C-alpha cells in the first residue's frame, strides 16, 4: 500500500470483521475514515485538478491505484480518478448497542438511488463485478405427475435451462460547473455536484432500461427484449391493465410486481376512469393501479407503461466510478467540465414476465 495512504488511514476507524458497513456502493471500499472520505471526494478531486495541486493529485493517483488493484481494472487515462466505494456509498454500520447507524449521510450512490428507477425498484443487484456475469435460468419448466403405482415411470419432460449474459457497457455523463462554485462551495456545494452527476447518470441508465437498443454500446432495454408481452396503448382501458398485470404475476415474486410510467402516462391514468362515466380512475390517489405501485419517472418515454416482477431484473455494475475533469476547454468562461463513466448491464430473468404498452393514449 502506498505510504501516503498508509499514513492517513486509522486502523481503529475501520469497522471490525463481521460488522462491516451494510452498504450498496459503487467501487471497492478501502476502509477510509470520515476525514479521508472527504479528502477523496469527487469535488475535492476536481478542485485539485483545477488548482494543479501536485500533492493532492498524488494522493488521488494512489487512491486510484488501490481501487484498480481491487477491481482488476484500469482507468482510461492517468488523468482520471477511480472513486472508492467509501466515497460513493451511503453506508450503515452496527453500533455498540446493536443498532444501525448512518456512516455517511450523502454520497453519489445515495443520490443515484434517489434519482433512478434502479434505486426505487427492488431489482436484484450484482455490484462491483470484476468479470462478465453468466446467470442460469429455467427457460422451459419441467413436468411433474402423480404415480399410480411403484411400477409407473416418472414424467419424461424435464426442465430446460438457458443463460443470461451480462457484460459491461459504459455510460458517460458530463456536468459543467463554474470555478466559483468549486472555490466557494462547502459540504452543500459538494453534495450538489455529486447530485448533478448522479441525476445525469440515472437518467441515461433509466432511458436504456426501458428503450436501450442493444447496439452501439447500449444495453438492451425491456421494449426490445424478445419474447415480452407488448401491446399498443391506443384507447388503454382497465382490461388492458389487467391483462398486463396477469403477465407479471404468479412468478414467485409477485410482491415485487409494480408499474413504471412516464409523466405523461401517469397524468393520463390519473384522469382515465376505470369504467365509462365512472368517478374511480385507473391510477388512484396513492399512485397505485390494480393494487400495484406506479413508479413515475421523467426518464421513461412519454407514452410507455411497463410492469414486471422487478426482483427478477438482474442489474450488474463493474469496477468503480471513473471521474475526469477538464478545466481547459471552457477556461475563458471560468467553467469546468466533469465527466463520469460507469459500467453497467441488465436483463430480465424471464422475458415472459414483462409486459410493455407503447403509444399509450
Amino acid at each position: 500500500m502506498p505510504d501516503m495512504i498508509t499514513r492517513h488511514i486509522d486502523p481503529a476507524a475501520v469497522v471490525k470483521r463481521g460488522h462491516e458497513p451494510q452498504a450498496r456502493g459503487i467501487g471497492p471500499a478501502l476502509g477510509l475514515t470520515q476525514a479521508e472520505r472527504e479528502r477523496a471526494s469527487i469535488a475535492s478531486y476536481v478542485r485539485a485538478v483545477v488548482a494543479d495541486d501536485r500533492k493532492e493529485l498524488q494522493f488521488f493517483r494512489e487512491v486510484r491505484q488501490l481501487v484498480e488493484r481491487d477491481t482488476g481494472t484500469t482507468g482510461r487515462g492517468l488523468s482520471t480518478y477511480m472513486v472508492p466505494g467509501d466515497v460513493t456509498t451511503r453506508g450503515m454500520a452496527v453500533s455498540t448497542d446493536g443498532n444501525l447507524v448512518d456512516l455517511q449521510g450523502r454520497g453519489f450512490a445515495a443520490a443515484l438511488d434517489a434519482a433512478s428507477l434502479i434505486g426505487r425498484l427492488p431489482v436484484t443487484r450484482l455490484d462491483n463485478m470484476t468479470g462478465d456475469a453468466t446467470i442460469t435460468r429455467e427457460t422451459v419448466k419441467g413436468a411433474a405427475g402423480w404415480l399410480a403405482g411403484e411400477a409407473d415411470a416418472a414424467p419424461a419432460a424435464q426442465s430446460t435451462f438457458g443463460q443470461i449474459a451480462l457484460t459491461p457497457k459504459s455510460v458517460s455523463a458530463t456536468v459543467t460547473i463554474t470555478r466559483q462554485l468549486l472555490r466557494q462551495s462547502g459540504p452543500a456545494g459538494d453534495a450538489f455536484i455529486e447530485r448533478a452527476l448522479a441525476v445525469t447518470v440515472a437518467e441515461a441508465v433509466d432511458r436504456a432500461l426501458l428503450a436501450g437498443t442493444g447496439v452501439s454500446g447500449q444495453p438492451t432495454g425491456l421494449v426490445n427484449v424478445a419474447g415480452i408481452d407488448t401491446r399498443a396503448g391506443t384507447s388503454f382501458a382497465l382490461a388492458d391493465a389487467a391483462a398486463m398485470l396477469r403477465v407479471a404475476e404468479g412468478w414467485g415474486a409477485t410482491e415485487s410486481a409494480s408499474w413504471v410510467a412516464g409523466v405523461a402516462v401517469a397524468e393520463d391514468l390519473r384522469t382515465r376512469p376505470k369504467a365509462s362515466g365512472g368517478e374511480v380512475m385507473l391510477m388512484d390517489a396513492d399512485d397505485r393501479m390494480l393494487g400495484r405501485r406506479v413508479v413515475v419517472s421523467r426518464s421513461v418515454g412519454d407514452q410507455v407503461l411497463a410492469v414486471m416482477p422487478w426482483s427478477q431484473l438482474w442489474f450488474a455494475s463493474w469496477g468503480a466510478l471513473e471521474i475526469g475533469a477538464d478545466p481547459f476547454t471552457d477556461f475563458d468562461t471560468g467553467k469546468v467540465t466533469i465527466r463520469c463513466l460507469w459500467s453497467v448491464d441488465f436483463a430480465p430473468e424471464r422475458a415472459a414476465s414483462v409486459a410493455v404498452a407503447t403509444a399509450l393514449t
Side-chain angles (χ1 to χ4, degrees), residues 51-62:
D52 195 23
D53 188 329
R54 302 301 175 86
K55 181 180 178 180
E56 285 302 291
L57 289 175
Q58 177 61 26
F59 168 79
F60 285 106
R61 278 192 288 269
E62 293 177 357

Side-chain angles (χ1 to χ4, degrees), residues 58-92:
Q58 177 61 26
F59 168 79
F60 285 106
R61 278 192 288 269
E62 293 177 357
V63 173
R64 187 192 69 222
Q65 289 169 2
L66 291 176
V67 173
E68 290 175 341
R69 180 201 66 186
D70 289 353
T71 59
T73 59
T74 57
R76 290 163 175 78
L78 295 177
S79 60
T80 61
Y81 174 40
M82 306 289 282
V83 187
D86 314 67
V87 173
T88 62
T89 303
R90 177 175 181 172
M92 304 298 289

Side-chain angles (χ1 to χ4, degrees), residues 229 231-245 259 272 290 357:
D229 177 88
R231 66 190 63 232
T234 307
S235 302
F236 189 83
L238 177 62
D240 299 294
M244 290 179 66
L245 188 57
W259 305 89
R272 181 167 298 197
L290 298 181

